[in-house]
Amino acid sequence: MKKEFDVLVAGELNVDIILNNIQAFPEIGKEILANDMSVVLGSSSAILASNLSSLGTRVAFTGKTGKDVFSEIVFGSLNRRGVDCSCVIRDERYPTGATIVLNYGQDRANITFPGAMNHFGINDIDFEFLSRAKHLHFSSCFIQPEMKKSLPELFRMAKKAGLTTSMDPQWDPEEKWELPLEELMPYVDVFMPNIMELKYITGEKTFEDAVRKLSKLANILVVKNGEEGAWLWDGKSLSHQPAFKNEQVVDCIGAGDSFNAGFLSEYVKKSSLKKCMETGALMGAINTTQAGGTAAFEDYDTVRSVARERFNYNL
């Protein structure tokens, strides 16, 4: 059967309220100022979907928002980038989520109100629609409690429908790091944590021990580590992908999600894993040339131009 979409992204939807040029760190009982603010599309899943679509990949989304002003921002942003949102549920019972992002150079502090994403579960997945895609990607399991309970079933159903799969666990706000790895990992083709998430999920203190432990369960393991690049376990050996250096970083919001978008844009084309990693690293770097998670990915021509002019790379 010919597939309608290259990637179906399932996951959280919210806006980011980004505060930049902040005078100091917040303190209880005191007030500080931020000299710049923007309200943009947020969430790991949505940033990935938007940027992946800008790279020419056919992308659809399934998730849940409220029926409010923030949902209009979410839908407007995704539709503008060509993401099919016909399976996104707008539920007037719940407000759309929001994340307050406090930016400090290349690091940040986040506060998230989950809203509707707390109520997105496996019963909201249209599996006939899912079968129209080549690949399923899921992000941010720890802030989606209803979906987290059914992750093995979701990925098992995706594999049964003939899809390849990937997952980025993201940070656990409760820092419990509980995942049914032995049940889940056989159905996840590409597992994509960052280095801290990998250590916490495995309960290991060193990168080497964490990789060794998870490599017994994972199919392909991609571990992101910011300016230090990324690591790939392909089932046989561990290899390193250097980062593309950006000397003028605006911020790093969504850089990991943009890495994922670059990787998956090649993965669904059945490119080599080396090419997937290289494109992922490039997109992560391009992300940092603009504020927020999606501004650097206006369209493919813009991405190609930035790749050539800032990173001496021809796409």
Side-chain angles (χ1 to χ4, degrees):
M1 181 178 73
K2 186 175 181 180
K3 297 289 189 175
E4 185 177 349
F5 305 108
D6 296 312
V7 178
L8 173 65
V9 179
E12 84 284 27
L13 288 166
N14 63 272
V15 298
D16 279 348
I17 302 171
I18 304 172
L19 302 178
N20 280 308
N21 298 320
I22 304 170
Q23 294 176 337
F25 289 100
E27 294 183 49
I28 299 295
K30 296 183 179 181
E31 183 174 0
I32 59 173
L33 297 178
N35 294 313
D36 183 59
M37 184 190 83
S38 56
V39 182
V40 297
L41 178 69
S43 83
S44 172
S45 302
I47 290 170
L48 177 142
S50 179
N51 295 350
L52 186 56
S53 185
S54 292
L55 298 179
T57 307
R58 299 172 302 167
V59 182
F61 204 103
T62 182
K64 184 176 286 189
T65 71
K67 278 189 174 181
D68 48 31
V69 173
F70 285 170
S71 74
E72 295 297 331
I73 294 172
V74 168
F75 273 82
S77 299
L78 289 175
N79 288 332
R80 190 164 57 249
R81 296 289 171 85
V83 177
D84 185 300
C85 295
S86 59
C87 265
V88 175
I89 299 167
R90 302 179 80 167
D91 192 329
E92 62 186 4
R93 294 175 298 173
Y94 311 111
T96 303
T99 295
I100 310 297
V101 182
L102 307 180
N103 250 341
Y104 294 93
Q106 294 190 39
D107 212 345
R108 63 189 183 275
N110 295 349
I111 304 172
T112 293
F113 166 69
M117 72 179 79
N118 263 347
H119 306 278
F120 178 57
I122 196 164
N123 291 334
D124 296 313
I125 299 286
D126 182 339
F127 281 96
E128 188 281 325
F129 188 81
L130 178 145
S131 70
R132 301 184 205 173
K134 294 179 181 178
H135 183 93
L136 171 71
H137 179 81
F138 183 85
S139 291
S140 304
C141 58
F142 296 111
I143 59 173
Q144 298 178 84
E146 288 301 310
M147 191 60 77
K148 180 175 176 287
K149 293 186 296 188
S150 304
L151 279 179
E153 182 182 354
L154 172 64
F155 278 88
R156 184 168 57 248
M157 292 294 290
K159 295 301 293 180
K160 184 178 180 180
L163 281 71
T164 52
T165 60
S166 56
M167 177 178 165
D168 185 340
Q170 295 281 318
W171 188 259
D172 180 3
E174 296 183 345
E175 298 191 33
K176 294 180 179 178
W177 302 102
E178 296 171 349
L179 275 179
L181 293 175
E182 292 191 4
E183 187 180 359
L184 176 63
M185 285 294 99
Y187 302 107
V188 179
D189 292 314
V190 187
F191 192 59
M192 312 179 81
N194 68 30
I195 192 167
M196 292 304 296
E197 293 157 1
L198 175 70
K199 290 178 182 178
Y200 283 120
I201 286 169
T202 58
E204 300 292 345
K205 293 183 178 180
T206 69
F207 169 68
E208 293 77 11
D209 287 342
V211 170
R212 190 176 300 112
K213 183 172 183 177
L214 201 56
S215 66
K216 298 174 183 177
L217 299 173
N219 292 299
I220 297 170
L221 176 62
V222 174
V223 184
K224 295 159 288 185
N225 193 22
E227 290 182 307
E228 302 303 316
W231 292 91
L232 169 72
W233 167 260
D234 64 3
K236 297 179 181 179
S237 61
L238 190 66
S239 59
H240 181 250
Q241 169 62 52
F244 285 78
K245 299 298 182 182
N246 177 15
E247 302 300 332
Q248 297 178 313
V249 172
V250 177
D251 70 41
C252 295
I253 295 170
D257 306 314
S258 296
F259 180 105
N260 292 351
F263 184 101
L264 293 177
S265 71
E266 295 294 338
Y267 187 79
V268 296
K269 293 188 288 189
K270 301 187 184 301
S271 300
S272 69
L273 289 176
K274 182 178 185 301
K275 178 68 171 176
C276 294
M277 292 291 287
E278 187 175 73
T279 306
L282 176 65
M283 296 308 155
I286 288 174
N287 176 279
T288 67
T289 65
Q290 297 287 339
T294 62
F297 295 84
E298 186 62 34
D299 53 47
Y300 190 53
D301 287 340
T302 299
V303 173
R304 290 179 64 187
S305 177
V306 174
R308 183 175 59 254
E309 294 172 8
R310 294 286 292 270
F311 301 101
N312 195 30
Y313 189 99
N314 291 316
L315 285 169

